[in-house]
């Protein structure tokens, strides 16, 4: 009886790299390849077409998994709670999708009885780390293969020639010179002329945001309602978060809002030029922050800013499934119970501004804040408050002065001495 081969579950996108991975895994590891396509809301020419391509490229099976709802409800909600922004700029779109895809790779490995999983990432990026860190935490017994890191196909042309020799479909249209990753949360664009940080990003790299120059001249207002930190309605109409994201991507994108152009510090130690468009994501985080400003007690808000940075770094570094990230999530979750209310956003010519916020759990107290006749703030209490609040620094300043003055006199004495000597 013919022994069946071991299996590998490959994270498959339908692009050239992962198609070549299928054949390469067969030739080099003698494995049966199960392709796994994760639908996280990326642009594609049809999931059925991707599946057929996987099978044509030699996969023994192809699983297409719709991860969109789970991506939104388990991943993006946590990112919103944490106002997730790596280096204060990047809303982590790729970093958020890798752990969910990894989770399904591991599940598929279990259901197919596979010993291996594989991905098509290079050895230079963050995504390899995220896949491998996630998979190895979820099931340390699985072995991970990274063909692109191992193979000897140095240029795109060599890769195409290798593919053509084995009957793998090669894209007929000239491929984009950029490396693009996208999902519901947005699009990441790298490589090509962007690799020179001096080059302005050409307009044609953007697909879901209009240029501010072409955006409407009239502003558009959108009201986002939050319940326990989760967006739950637009303009008063309740809808699932996924629909809020779709709608806001349209609105914000039309007004040219959501573009990011940054130099980013990769986990592997390389600085890279990254362009992103994250219209709904940036607008929702902006709105969420505004509501937190209104509803979170000062000390919690200040402390949370540090937690948010740690959260973003952990997720960027591939630590989605980690005790640190769980603990940070628990902190964020504990702060979200009172984040209920409405934020009014104004989109205009590439901008999105919070122009209003209201909440039943607001900590804004008009009587304390106003300079008008209704003022209830105890102005007299401020005097003693300032005396004690500044006491420690005043003690320090006094000691400094004392030391400086004695140094000064020491200087004077010394210079007096030398003057005398010169006389
Ligand atoms: N630099 C971003 C990150 O590390 C985006 C990566 C995009 N990935 C890609 N294959 N183009 O999260």
């Amino acid at each position: 009886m013919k022994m069946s081969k071991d299996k590998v579950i490959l994270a498959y996108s339908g692009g050239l790299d992962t198609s070549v991975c299928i054949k390469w895994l067969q030739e080099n590891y003698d494995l049966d390849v199960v392709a796994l396509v994760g639908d996280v809301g990326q642009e594609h020419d049809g999931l059925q077409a991707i599946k057929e391509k996987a099978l044509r490229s030699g996969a023994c099976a192809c699983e297409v998994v719709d991860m969109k709802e789970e991506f939104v409800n388990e991943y993006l909600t946590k990112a919103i709670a944490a106002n997730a922004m790596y280096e204060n700029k990047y809303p982590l779109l790729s970093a958020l999708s890798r752990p969910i895809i990894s989770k399904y790779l591991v599940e598929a490995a279990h259901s197919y009885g596979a010993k291996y999983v594989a991905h098509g990432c290079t050895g230079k990026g963050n995504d390899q780390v995220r896949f491998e860190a996630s998979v190895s935490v979820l099931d340390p017994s699985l072995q991970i293969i990274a063909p692109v890191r191992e193979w000897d196909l140095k240029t795109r042309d060599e890769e195409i020639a290798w593919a053509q020799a084995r009957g793998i479909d090669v894209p007929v249209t000239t491929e984009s010179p950029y490396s693009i990753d996208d999902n519901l949360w947005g699009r990441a664009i790298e490589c090509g002329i962007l690799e020179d940080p001096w080059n302005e990003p050409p307009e044609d790299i953007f697909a879901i945001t209009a240029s501010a120059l072409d955006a409407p001249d009239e502003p558009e207002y959108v009201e986002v309602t939050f319940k326990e930190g989760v967006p739950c309605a637009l303009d008063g109409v309740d809808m699932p978060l996924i629909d809020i994201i779709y709608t806001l991507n349209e609105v914000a994108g039309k007004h040219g809002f959501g573009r990011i152009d940054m130099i980013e510090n990769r986990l592997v130690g390389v600085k890279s030029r990254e362009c992103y468009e994250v219209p709904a994501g940036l607008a929702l985080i902006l709105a969420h922050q505004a509501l937190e400003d209104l509803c979170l007690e000062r000390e919690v808000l200040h402390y949370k800013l540090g937690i948010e940075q740690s959260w973003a770094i952990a997720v960027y570094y591939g630590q989605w499934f980690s005790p640190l990230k769980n603990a940070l999530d628990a902190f964020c979750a504990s702060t979200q119970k009172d984040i209920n209310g409405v934020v009014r956003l104004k989109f205009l010519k590439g901008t999105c501004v919070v122009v209003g916020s209201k909440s039943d759990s607001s900590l804004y107290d008009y009587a304390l804040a106003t300079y008008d006749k209704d003022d209830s703030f105890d102005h007299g209490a401020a005097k003693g408050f300032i005396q004690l609040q500044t006491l420690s620094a005043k003690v320090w300043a006094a000691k400094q002065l004392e030391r400086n003055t004695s140094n000064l006199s020491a200087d004077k004495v010394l210079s007096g001495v030398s003057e005398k000597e010169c006389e």
Side-chain angles (χ1 to χ4, degrees), residues 367-382:
L368 285 177
T370 184
Y371 285 93
D372 229 326
K373 62 176 173 20
D374 297 326
D375 187 358
S376 71
F377 185 85
D378 179 357
H379 289 248

Side-chain angles (χ1 to χ4, degrees), residues 8 10 23 117 121 126 131 151 164 185 197 220 288 377 389:
V8 57
L10 168 70
K23 269 276 176 324
V117 297
C121 305
N126 298 312
F131 275 125
W151 70 36
Q164 276 168 337
W185 212 223
E220 184 166 350
H288 182 257
F377 185 85
Q389 210 265 343

Side-chain angles (χ1 to χ4, degrees), residues 90 92-95 98 126-127 130 179-181 188 190 264 266 272 274 276 316:
Y90 165 48
L92 294 168
L93 56 109
S94 303
R98 295 326 187 234
N126 298 312
D127 289 328
R130 296 169 183 151
S179 164
I180 291 168
D181 183 51
E190 15 174 64
E264 176 179 302
R266 285 191 192 166
S272 70
E274 304 279 337
Y276 301 106
Y316 189 87

Side-chain angles (χ1 to χ4, degrees), residues 69-327:
E69 291 285 342
E70 186 179 341
F71 185 50
V72 169
N73 297 325
E74 302 297 328
Y75 292 70
L76 299 186
T77 48
K78 292 193 173 81
I80 295 170
N83 296 315
M85 250 0 145
Y86 178 66
E87 296 182 340
N88 283 338
K89 296 189 196 82
Y90 165 48
L92 294 168
L93 56 109
S94 303
L96 290 163
S97 76
R98 295 326 187 234
I100 188 171
I101 298 170
S102 302
K103 186 189 139 198
Y104 281 95
L105 286 172
V106 172
E107 278 182 19
H110 294 165
S111 61
Y112 279 89
K115 283 194 197 139
Y116 302 89
V117 297
H119 60 73
C121 305
T122 69
K124 213 163 140 172
N126 298 312
D127 289 328
Q128 52 170 349
V129 185
R130 296 169 183 151
F131 275 125
E132 297 184 28
S134 301
V135 168
S136 59
V137 168
L138 293 172
D139 183 349
S141 75
L142 286 168
Q143 294 179 56
I144 302 164
I145 311 174
V148 179
R149 220 163 48 195
E150 277 184 43
W151 70 36
D152 205 18
L153 305 167
K154 293 205 175 54
T155 63
R156 198 76 179 159
D157 287 343
E158 264 182 66
E159 192 181 341
I160 289 175
W162 195 94
Q164 276 168 337
R166 287 156 180 86
I168 297 170
D169 304 359
V170 167
V172 260
T173 48
T174 22
E175 266 190 282
S176 147
Y178 306 106
S179 164
I180 291 168
D181 183 51
D182 68 329
N183 59 50
L184 276 169
W185 212 223
R187 280 177 87 241
I189 311 116
E190 15 174 64
C191 304
I193 66 155
L194 300 173
E195 286 179 352
D196 179 348
W198 183 248
N199 287 336
E200 181 176 351
E203 196 49 45
D204 68 3
I205 66 165
F206 298 109
I208 55 173
T209 53
S211 155
L213 290 174
D214 301 330
D217 293 325
E218 293 302 311
E220 184 166 350
Y221 293 86
V222 179
E223 291 182 6
V224 188
T225 305
F226 288 82
K227 192 168 175 227
E228 297 195 358
V230 181
C232 63
L234 280 188
D235 290 331
V237 181
D238 285 350
M239 53 178 97
L241 180 53
I242 190 167
D243 294 334
I244 291 180
I245 293 170
Y246 281 130
T247 311
L248 268 183
N249 268 337
E250 289 290 321
V251 176
K254 180 177 78 187
H255 288 277
F257 174 73
R259 294 183 178 183
I260 299 160
D261 175 5
M262 67 185 284
I263 302 294
E264 176 179 302
N265 287 289
R266 285 191 192 166
L267 179 49
V268 293
V270 175
K271 282 193 190 290
S272 70
R273 167 64 161 320
E274 304 279 337
C275 292
Y276 301 106
E277 35 186 1
V278 194
L282 287 183
L284 287 173
I285 289 176
L286 203 64
H288 182 257
Q289 285 169 326
L291 201 55
E292 289 192 331
D293 291 343
L294 198 64
C295 301
L296 282 185
E297 187 274 329
R298 181 186 68 193
E299 304 304 314
V300 174
L301 183 101
H302 288 181
Y303 199 82
K304 186 168 181 283
L305 294 173
I307 298 282
E308 291 172 357
Q309 284 219 349
S310 303
W311 195 97
I313 292 172
V315 172
Y316 189 87
Y317 285 8
Q319 297 163 351
W320 182 271
F321 302 107
S322 72
L324 172 63
K325 150 76 172 43
N326 289 345

